[in-house]
Amino acid sequence: MSPTGISRRQALKLTGSAVGGAALLAGCGSGLAAPVTSGDVTLDFWTHDEGYETFFRDGIPDADAATDFRYTLDATRAGAQDLVTKLLAQAVAGRGKPDVIGIEIGQFARLQRGDLAERLLYDWTDRVAGLGDDLIAARRAPYTKDGKLYALDSDTPMVVYYQREDLFSQYRLPTDVGSWEELAQVGAQAAQQHGVALGVLAAGSDLGQIVQGFQMLLLQRGGAFFDADENLVLDSPEAVETLQFVVDGLKDGWITTVNDFYGASVQAGLKSGKIAGMWMASWYSAFGLKPNVPEQAGAWRLRALPAWSAGGFATAAAGGTGFAATVDQSGTEAAAEFIASTWITPEGQVRRFQELTYLPTLRSVFDSPELEVADDYFGGQQVIDVYRSIVDDVPDYYQSPDSSILNDVLSGHLVSAYRGDESPAQAIRGAAEDFANQAGR
């Protein structure tokens, strides 16, 4: 914790590029406020999602009972990017920062520059040490900087395969293929004979979604964008192999492209039955499938991803939001107590699954019988069984303060490869070179 906050000169030096070129950061704080150690406390709570606000408000009685505080939340909702921008701006101005902030995983990368995270966010490392391996390591990695953990994730958003059981049955497609290579063979025949796709990639204007569709497969294959030291490791045999696989799938027609994973184009594909399967994260059930095609309730099933013949993991993880407390606030300790007593207790994680459908980040909670709920949308399937079978093989996901640069350059090269304008090897190498030129490393 810094006793004096960030100086204007330090912050400008550290973060000028971290906020998209806007000259935002400079000094923060005009001194430490007297800490609140017990009793009534109102926490400034920032989030981009109403569901999180509701969850934490509903958790106040538990927090009151577990701590020396009596909580009230003063909530602010804004876009995920705007929240981090506002946090940095408030630090510059020396005005009030939030006590609790939900940081979307991609936005946390902006706080990895220099020692921003250390100066702005509460260090959870020692506090969660007692949880050991029960706090899934793969969900610590995205919010860790220099070995310190600065936010607690909302989810273990494992990537699974969604498939239309009725269409697979109608076209006599096997529902239990063991490998991606087998699925590609099945998919090529399905595309040729029935005009259906068994995989989907985004290729519209949302660069993050373009990258994410490829990244999910790459992580499962054993590749990565960055290592634990924030070094770019994209240019690898695994990356070229994975991109070659999807390019071949697009040529064979069993993978199709949509503008994005949520809008009209994917909805049209789903409603027409032209999309019969896709790999996506666990949250896509609640935010993609069910709202886009509620009439297909009962037709979908969820299974573990096929394996890569050359090796890799059982799944990947995509997305997430880490909740953090800020430092140098009168309510810092109260905020940390609030998060700890609502967000990472077994009871809180069960309630989070029941109310928000987010999977636990504590390994032991996956064995909780309260998670065994039949999902009518998936034909009465207990989806937790699928996640239990793969949760012990989730790869780590590391970010870099320059993640946004990689998203920009890689998305362009991926679309170029999809169109056949570059070979997969050229696209991966080109993205790595463009990143090096723009990031200066």
Side-chain angles (χ1 to χ4, degrees), residues 176-186 245 254 303 305-310:
D176 58 349
V177 294
S179 71
W180 281 111
E181 292 78 4
E182 292 175 72
L183 185 65
Q185 292 180 356
V186 169
F245 179 80
W254 74 269
R303 54 158 292 187
L305 293 175
W308 289 97
S309 297

